[in-house]
Amino acid sequence: MTLAAGAAAVSGCAHDGQSDLLGKFEANLASHDSATEALRQWCKARGIAEEPRIAAQFIRGHDEPPPADLHSALAVGPDEALGYRHVKLSCRETVLSEAHNWYVAARLSPEMNRMLSETDTPFGKVAAPLRFTREPLTSSAAQGVDCPTGIVSVHRALLRLPDGQPLALVVECYTAANLVGAR
């Protein structure tokens, strides 16, 4: 789904009475530097799972080409080794987002890089000890990334280390499952 289609999905929600819930969801995301932590708290608050655990499920074979501005956004040269993860983030069996994450592997510890390549631990949890901050970027910049159907919100953000160095560029496609739940 392109960004325009994602915007149409969001406007469709506004007409079916879920705009307040979408607003609360967006406020929750905006209040956290880590989307993983925001989703964990949202999952618990919405009753999706009593003991929320966000897990990353790798999506293989459907990688997005890197954005044209990737190297400049991450402040690296064209030959710098970058990591990439295309994952679904789920709370139990409920898929809450599909995310594309390009990151500077050299700015992570070897153990962090191992965890990102070998485990279902989300990037935000792996990199949390680095105390990164989240810088939202304009939504129109997410164009070119195909989101799946059923998306209610698309975010593009730069994760920065405390010294200001960019750590990762993320494009996140949030599913309509965020707007349902027991509460």
Side-chain angles (χ1 to χ4, degrees), residues 82-114:
L82 298 178
Y84 173 73
R85 287 181 111 196
H86 180 192
V87 297
K88 290 181 182 179
L89 294 179
S90 301
C91 182
R92 296 222 174 218
E93 297 81 35
T94 304
V95 177
L96 301 175
S97 75
E98 186 170 312
H100 301 272
N101 181 340
W102 295 269
Y103 58 93
V104 183
R107 295 179 185 153
L108 297 167
S109 71
E111 177 61 11
M112 290 175 177
N113 280 299
R114 185 199 66 74

Side-chain angles (χ1 to χ4, degrees), residues 116-134:
L116 290 172
S117 66
E118 297 177 9
T119 74
D120 70 350
T121 308
F123 184 90
K125 186 167 184 169
V126 170
L130 299 177
R131 300 183 344 261
F132 64 85
T133 57
R134 182 182 184 88

